PDB file of all heavy atoms in Angstrom:
ATOM      1  N   LEU A  12     -98.672  17.758  46.233  1.00 97.00           N
ATOM      2  CA  LEU A  12    -100.082  17.569  46.581  1.00 97.00           C
ATOM      3  C   LEU A  12    -100.524  18.627  47.580  1.00 97.00           C
ATOM      4  O   LEU A  12     -99.809  18.885  48.559  1.00 97.00           O
ATOM      5  CB  LEU A  12    -100.293  16.185  47.183  1.00 97.00           C
ATOM      6  CG  LEU A  12     -99.835  14.999  46.340  1.00 97.00           C
ATOM      7  CD1 LEU A  12     -99.932  13.702  47.139  1.00 97.00           C
ATOM      8  CD2 LEU A  12    -100.647  14.908  45.059  1.00 97.00           C
ATOM      9  N   VAL A  13    -101.685  19.200  47.342  1.00 97.00           N
ATOM     10  CA  VAL A  13    -102.235  20.201  48.248  1.00 97.00           C
ATOM     11  C   VAL A  13    -103.668  19.823  48.578  1.00 97.00           C
ATOM     12  O   VAL A  13    -104.517  19.731  47.684  1.00 97.00           O
ATOM     13  CB  VAL A  13    -102.192  21.605  47.627  1.00 97.00           C
ATOM     14  CG1 VAL A  13    -102.828  22.610  48.586  1.00 97.00           C
ATOM     15  CG2 VAL A  13    -100.765  22.008  47.305  1.00 97.00           C
ATOM     16  N   GLU A  14    -103.911  19.608  49.873  1.00 98.00           N
ATOM     17  CA  GLU A  14    -105.252  19.275  50.338  1.00 98.00           C
ATOM     18  C   GLU A  14    -106.027  20.537  50.696  1.00 98.00           C
ATOM     19  O   GLU A  14    -105.442  21.551  51.092  1.00 98.00           O
ATOM     20  CB  GLU A  14    -105.193  18.369  51.580  1.00 98.00           C
ATOM     21  CG  GLU A  14    -104.448  17.071  51.402  1.00 98.00           C
ATOM     22  CD  GLU A  14    -102.986  17.161  51.802  1.00 98.00           C
ATOM     23  OE1 GLU A  14    -102.436  18.282  51.796  1.00 98.00           O
ATOM     24  OE2 GLU A  14    -102.391  16.117  52.122  1.00 98.00           O
ATOM     25  N   SER A  15    -107.333  20.447  50.581  1.00 98.00           N
ATOM     26  CA  SER A  15    -108.210  21.538  50.984  1.00 98.00           C
ATOM     27  C   SER A  15    -109.573  20.968  51.332  1.00 98.00           C
ATOM     28  O   SER A  15    -109.857  19.795  51.068  1.00 98.00           O
ATOM     29  CB  SER A  15    -108.350  22.576  49.864  1.00 98.00           C
ATOM     30  OG  SER A  15    -108.920  21.985  48.712  1.00 98.00           O
ATOM     31  N   GLY A  16    -110.401  21.801  51.956  1.00 97.00           N
ATOM     32  CA  GLY A  16    -111.771  21.402  52.254  1.00 97.00           C
ATOM     33  C   GLY A  16    -112.027  21.047  53.701  1.00 97.00           C
ATOM     34  O   GLY A  16    -113.170  20.787  54.084  1.00 97.00           O
ATOM     35  N   GLY A  17    -110.983  21.018  54.510  1.00 97.00           N
ATOM     36  CA  GLY A  17    -111.181  20.716  55.917  1.00 97.00           C
ATOM     37  C   GLY A  17    -111.876  21.859  56.634  1.00 97.00           C
ATOM     38  O   GLY A  17    -112.056  22.942  56.093  1.00 97.00           O
ATOM     39  N   GLY A  18    -112.268  21.593  57.857  1.00 97.00           N
ATOM     40  CA  GLY A  18    -112.933  22.621  58.642  1.00 97.00           C
ATOM     41  C   GLY A  18    -113.626  22.037  59.840  1.00 97.00           C
ATOM     42  O   GLY A  18    -113.427  20.866  60.194  1.00 97.00           O
ATOM     43  N   LEU A  19    -114.442  22.848  60.466  1.00 97.00           N
ATOM     44  CA  LEU A  19    -115.206  22.450  61.642  1.00 97.00           C
ATOM     45  C   LEU A  19    -116.625  22.106  61.216  1.00 97.00           C
ATOM     46  O   LEU A  19    -117.279  22.897  60.525  1.00 97.00           O
ATOM     47  CB  LEU A  19    -115.220  23.587  62.663  1.00 97.00           C
ATOM     48  CG  LEU A  19    -116.081  23.382  63.916  1.00 97.00           C
ATOM     49  CD1 LEU A  19    -115.558  22.210  64.731  1.00 97.00           C
ATOM     50  CD2 LEU A  19    -116.106  24.663  64.734  1.00 97.00           C
ATOM     51  N   VAL A  20    -117.078  20.945  61.638  1.00 97.00           N
ATOM     52  CA  VAL A  20    -118.423  20.511  61.272  1.00 97.00           C
ATOM     53  C   VAL A  20    -119.039  19.768  62.453  1.00 97.00           C
ATOM     54  O   VAL A  20    -118.319  19.160  63.249  1.00 97.00           O
ATOM     55  CB  VAL A  20    -118.378  19.615  60.011  1.00 97.00           C
ATOM     56  CG1 VAL A  20    -117.579  18.350  60.273  1.00 97.00           C
ATOM     57  CG2 VAL A  20    -119.757  19.302  59.493  1.00 97.00           C
ATOM     58  N   GLN A  21    -120.329  19.838  62.566  1.00 97.00           N
ATOM     59  CA  GLN A  21    -121.021  19.122  63.628  1.00 97.00           C
ATOM     60  C   GLN A  21    -121.166  17.647  63.270  1.00 97.00           C
ATOM     61  O   GLN A  21    -121.218  17.273  62.089  1.00 97.00           O
ATOM     62  CB  GLN A  21    -122.397  19.725  63.872  1.00 97.00           C
ATOM     63  CG  GLN A  21    -122.363  21.079  64.564  1.00 97.00           C
ATOM     64  CD  GLN A  21    -123.743  21.535  64.988  1.00 97.00           C
ATOM     65  OE1 GLN A  21    -124.745  21.198  64.351  1.00 97.00           O
ATOM     66  NE2 GLN A  21    -123.798  22.300  66.063  1.00 97.00           N
ATOM     67  N   ALA A  22    -121.253  16.836  64.292  1.00 97.00           N
ATOM     68  CA  ALA A  22    -121.480  15.409  64.083  1.00 97.00           C
ATOM     69  C   ALA A  22    -122.734  15.205  63.234  1.00 97.00           C
ATOM     70  O   ALA A  22    -123.743  15.887  63.417  1.00 97.00           O
ATOM     71  CB  ALA A  22    -121.617  14.693  65.416  1.00 97.00           C
ATOM     72  N   GLY A  23    -122.623  14.291  62.288  1.00 97.00           N
ATOM     73  CA  GLY A  23    -123.713  14.041  61.352  1.00 97.00           C
ATOM     74  C   GLY A  23    -123.613  14.835  60.077  1.00 97.00           C
ATOM     75  O   GLY A  23    -124.345  14.566  59.110  1.00 97.00           O
ATOM     76  N   GLY A  24    -122.728  15.806  60.053  1.00 97.00           N
ATOM     77  CA  GLY A  24    -122.569  16.645  58.882  1.00 97.00           C
ATOM     78  C   GLY A  24    -121.690  16.015  57.821  1.00 97.00           C
ATOM     79  O   GLY A  24    -121.264  14.858  57.943  1.00 97.00           O
ATOM     80  N   SER A  25    -121.411  16.802  56.793  1.00 97.00           N
ATOM     81  CA  SER A  25    -120.642  16.329  55.648  1.00 97.00           C
ATOM     82  C   SER A  25    -119.555  17.326  55.279  1.00 97.00           C
ATOM     83  O   SER A  25    -119.686  18.528  55.534  1.00 97.00           O
ATOM     84  CB  SER A  25    -121.559  16.128  54.437  1.00 97.00           C
ATOM     85  OG  SER A  25    -122.554  15.164  54.695  1.00 97.00           O
ATOM     86  N   LEU A  26    -118.519  16.796  54.682  1.00 97.00           N
ATOM     87  CA  LEU A  26    -117.451  17.610  54.114  1.00 97.00           C
ATOM     88  C   LEU A  26    -116.948  16.919  52.859  1.00 97.00           C
ATOM     89  O   LEU A  26    -117.042  15.696  52.733  1.00 97.00           O
ATOM     90  CB  LEU A  26    -116.285  17.773  55.082  1.00 97.00           C
ATOM     91  CG  LEU A  26    -116.364  18.789  56.207  1.00 97.00           C
ATOM     92  CD1 LEU A  26    -115.133  18.676  57.090  1.00 97.00           C
ATOM     93  CD2 LEU A  26    -116.531  20.192  55.684  1.00 97.00           C
ATOM     94  N   ARG A  27    -116.395  17.720  51.971  1.00 98.00           N
ATOM     95  CA  ARG A  27    -115.692  17.154  50.827  1.00 98.00           C
ATOM     96  C   ARG A  27    -114.265  17.689  50.822  1.00 98.00           C
ATOM     97  O   ARG A  27    -114.041  18.898  50.729  1.00 98.00           O
ATOM     98  CB  ARG A  27    -116.363  17.514  49.507  1.00 98.00           C
ATOM     99  CG  ARG A  27    -115.721  16.785  48.317  1.00 98.00           C
ATOM    100  CD  ARG A  27    -116.275  17.224  46.984  1.00 98.00           C
ATOM    101  NE  ARG A  27    -115.755  18.530  46.576  1.00 98.00           N
ATOM    102  CZ  ARG A  27    -115.853  19.010  45.348  1.00 98.00           C
ATOM    103  NH1 ARG A  27    -116.471  18.309  44.407  1.00 98.00           N
ATOM    104  NH2 ARG A  27    -115.372  20.205  45.051  1.00 98.00           N
ATOM    105  N   LEU A  28    -113.340  16.767  50.930  1.00 98.00           N
ATOM    106  CA  LEU A  28    -111.932  17.128  50.850  1.00 98.00           C
ATOM    107  C   LEU A  28    -111.459  16.995  49.407  1.00 98.00           C
ATOM    108  O   LEU A  28    -111.917  16.119  48.672  1.00 98.00           O
ATOM    109  CB  LEU A  28    -111.094  16.224  51.744  1.00 98.00           C
ATOM    110  CG  LEU A  28    -111.479  16.158  53.217  1.00 98.00           C
ATOM    111  CD1 LEU A  28    -110.470  15.280  53.973  1.00 98.00           C
ATOM    112  CD2 LEU A  28    -111.571  17.525  53.834  1.00 98.00           C
ATOM    113  N   SER A  29    -110.535  17.858  49.047  1.00 98.00           N
ATOM    114  CA  SER A  29    -109.933  17.810  47.716  1.00 98.00           C
ATOM    115  C   SER A  29    -108.418  17.744  47.856  1.00 98.00           C
ATOM    116  O   SER A  29    -107.848  18.301  48.795  1.00 98.00           O
ATOM    117  CB  SER A  29    -110.296  19.048  46.899  1.00 98.00           C
ATOM    118  OG  SER A  29    -111.696  19.165  46.726  1.00 98.00           O
ATOM    119  N   CYS A  30    -107.813  17.088  46.925  1.00 98.00           N
ATOM    120  CA  CYS A  30    -106.352  17.024  46.857  1.00 98.00           C
ATOM    121  C   CYS A  30    -105.974  17.289  45.408  1.00 98.00           C
ATOM    122  O   CYS A  30    -106.325  16.495  44.523  1.00 98.00           O
ATOM    123  CB  CYS A  30    -105.862  15.665  47.316  1.00 98.00           C
ATOM    124  SG  CYS A  30    -104.111  15.365  46.987  1.00 98.00           S
ATOM    125  N   THR A  31    -105.278  18.375  45.184  1.00 97.00           N
ATOM    126  CA  THR A  31    -104.905  18.761  43.827  1.00 97.00           C
ATOM    127  C   THR A  31    -103.399  18.636  43.649  1.00 97.00           C
ATOM    128  O   THR A  31    -102.627  19.064  44.509  1.00 97.00           O
ATOM    129  CB  THR A  31    -105.358  20.184  43.529  1.00 97.00           C
ATOM    130  OG1 THR A  31    -106.781  20.256  43.688  1.00 97.00           O
ATOM    131  CG2 THR A  31    -105.003  20.573  42.098  1.00 97.00           C
ATOM    132  N   ALA A  32    -103.024  18.056  42.542  1.00 95.00           N
ATOM    133  CA  ALA A  32    -101.616  17.792  42.268  1.00 95.00           C
ATOM    134  C   ALA A  32    -101.056  18.790  41.278  1.00 95.00           C
ATOM    135  O   ALA A  32    -101.759  19.267  40.387  1.00 95.00           O
ATOM    136  CB  ALA A  32    -101.455  16.382  41.721  1.00 95.00           C
ATOM    137  N   SER A  33     -99.794  19.062  41.431  1.00 90.00           N
ATOM    138  CA  SER A  33     -99.070  19.858  40.444  1.00 90.00           C
ATOM    139  C   SER A  33     -97.740  19.181  40.168  1.00 90.00           C
ATOM    140  O   SER A  33     -97.265  18.368  40.962  1.00 90.00           O
ATOM    141  CB  SER A  33     -98.842  21.286  40.952  1.00 90.00           C
ATOM    142  OG  SER A  33     -98.069  21.283  42.129  1.00 90.00           O
ATOM    143  N   GLY A  34     -97.194  19.497  39.037  1.00 84.00           N
ATOM    144  CA  GLY A  34     -95.890  18.942  38.694  1.00 84.00           C
ATOM    145  C   GLY A  34     -95.965  17.707  37.817  1.00 84.00           C
ATOM    146  O   GLY A  34     -95.043  17.406  37.085  1.00 84.00           O
ATOM    147  N   ARG A  35     -97.044  16.991  37.923  1.00 81.00           N
ATOM    148  CA  ARG A  35     -97.184  15.761  37.142  1.00 81.00           C
ATOM    149  C   ARG A  35     -98.644  15.321  37.196  1.00 81.00           C
ATOM    150  O   ARG A  35     -99.323  15.544  38.194  1.00 81.00           O
ATOM    151  CB  ARG A  35     -96.288  14.673  37.722  1.00 81.00           C
ATOM    152  CG  ARG A  35     -96.361  13.342  37.002  1.00 81.00           C
ATOM    153  CD  ARG A  35     -95.446  12.320  37.655  1.00 81.00           C
ATOM    154  NE  ARG A  35     -94.044  12.534  37.297  1.00 81.00           N
ATOM    155  CZ  ARG A  35     -93.049  11.793  37.761  1.00 81.00           C
ATOM    156  NH1 ARG A  35     -93.296  10.826  38.617  1.00 81.00           N
ATOM    157  NH2 ARG A  35     -91.805  12.017  37.390  1.00 81.00           N
ATOM    158  N   THR A  36     -99.063  14.641  36.163  1.00 85.00           N
ATOM    159  CA  THR A  36    -100.401  14.064  36.190  1.00 85.00           C
ATOM    160  C   THR A  36    -100.514  13.021  37.293  1.00 85.00           C
ATOM    161  O   THR A  36     -99.529  12.370  37.651  1.00 85.00           O
ATOM    162  CB  THR A  36    -100.724  13.402  34.841  1.00 85.00           C
ATOM    163  OG1 THR A  36    -102.005  12.762  34.923  1.00 85.00           O
ATOM    164  CG2 THR A  36     -99.688  12.353  34.465  1.00 85.00           C
ATOM    165  N   ILE A  37    -101.699  12.878  37.836  1.00 88.00           N
ATOM    166  CA  ILE A  37    -101.896  11.844  38.847  1.00 88.00           C
ATOM    167  C   ILE A  37    -102.315  10.520  38.235  1.00 88.00           C
ATOM    168  O   ILE A  37    -102.548   9.545  38.939  1.00 88.00           O
ATOM    169  CB  ILE A  37    -102.941  12.268  39.908  1.00 88.00           C
ATOM    170  CG1 ILE A  37    -104.335  12.433  39.263  1.00 88.00           C
ATOM    171  CG2 ILE A  37    -102.499  13.532  40.613  1.00 88.00           C
ATOM    172  CD1 ILE A  37    -105.442  12.624  40.296  1.00 88.00           C
ATOM    173  N   SER A  38    -102.403  10.486  36.905  1.00 88.00           N
ATOM    174  CA  SER A  38    -102.911   9.294  36.226  1.00 88.00           C
ATOM    175  C   SER A  38    -102.083   8.050  36.535  1.00 88.00           C
ATOM    176  O   SER A  38    -102.584   6.936  36.434  1.00 88.00           O
ATOM    177  CB  SER A  38    -102.933   9.516  34.710  1.00 88.00           C
ATOM    178  OG  SER A  38    -103.750  10.609  34.375  1.00 88.00           O
ATOM    179  N   TRP A  39    -100.826   8.240  36.866  1.00 86.00           N
ATOM    180  CA  TRP A  39     -99.951   7.095  37.127  1.00 86.00           C
ATOM    181  C   TRP A  39    -100.123   6.519  38.519  1.00 86.00           C
ATOM    182  O   TRP A  39     -99.626   5.432  38.800  1.00 86.00           O
ATOM    183  CB  TRP A  39     -98.498   7.522  36.973  1.00 86.00           C
ATOM    184  CG  TRP A  39     -98.100   7.898  35.598  1.00 86.00           C
ATOM    185  CD1 TRP A  39     -98.884   7.865  34.476  1.00 86.00           C
ATOM    186  CD2 TRP A  39     -96.821   8.373  35.177  1.00 86.00           C
ATOM    187  NE1 TRP A  39     -98.152   8.297  33.392  1.00 86.00           N
ATOM    188  CE2 TRP A  39     -96.904   8.606  33.787  1.00 86.00           C
ATOM    189  CE3 TRP A  39     -95.615   8.610  35.840  1.00 86.00           C
ATOM    190  CZ2 TRP A  39     -95.812   9.076  33.054  1.00 86.00           C
ATOM    191  CZ3 TRP A  39     -94.536   9.073  35.110  1.00 86.00           C
ATOM    192  CH2 TRP A  39     -94.642   9.305  33.729  1.00 86.00           C
ATOM    193  N   TYR A  40    -100.789   7.254  39.402  1.00 92.00           N
ATOM    194  CA  TYR A  40    -100.736   6.922  40.816  1.00 92.00           C
ATOM    195  C   TYR A  40    -102.032   6.341  41.362  1.00 92.00           C
ATOM    196  O   TYR A  40    -103.125   6.724  40.953  1.00 92.00           O
ATOM    197  CB  TYR A  40    -100.430   8.171  41.638  1.00 92.00           C
ATOM    198  CG  TYR A  40     -99.117   8.825  41.309  1.00 92.00           C
ATOM    199  CD1 TYR A  40     -99.085   9.937  40.481  1.00 92.00           C
ATOM    200  CD2 TYR A  40     -97.922   8.347  41.832  1.00 92.00           C
ATOM    201  CE1 TYR A  40     -97.884  10.559  40.176  1.00 92.00           C
ATOM    202  CE2 TYR A  40     -96.722   8.965  41.535  1.00 92.00           C
ATOM    203  CZ  TYR A  40     -96.712  10.066  40.707  1.00 92.00           C
ATOM    204  OH  TYR A  40     -95.525  10.673  40.409  1.00 92.00           O
TER     205      TYR A  40
END
């Protein structure tokens, strides 16, 4: 699993984090 999308943001703001899997489908989890 590899996460991305973090960063510095001001209060009230928005972010979208992503987690992408390799090696196997995530359908089982």
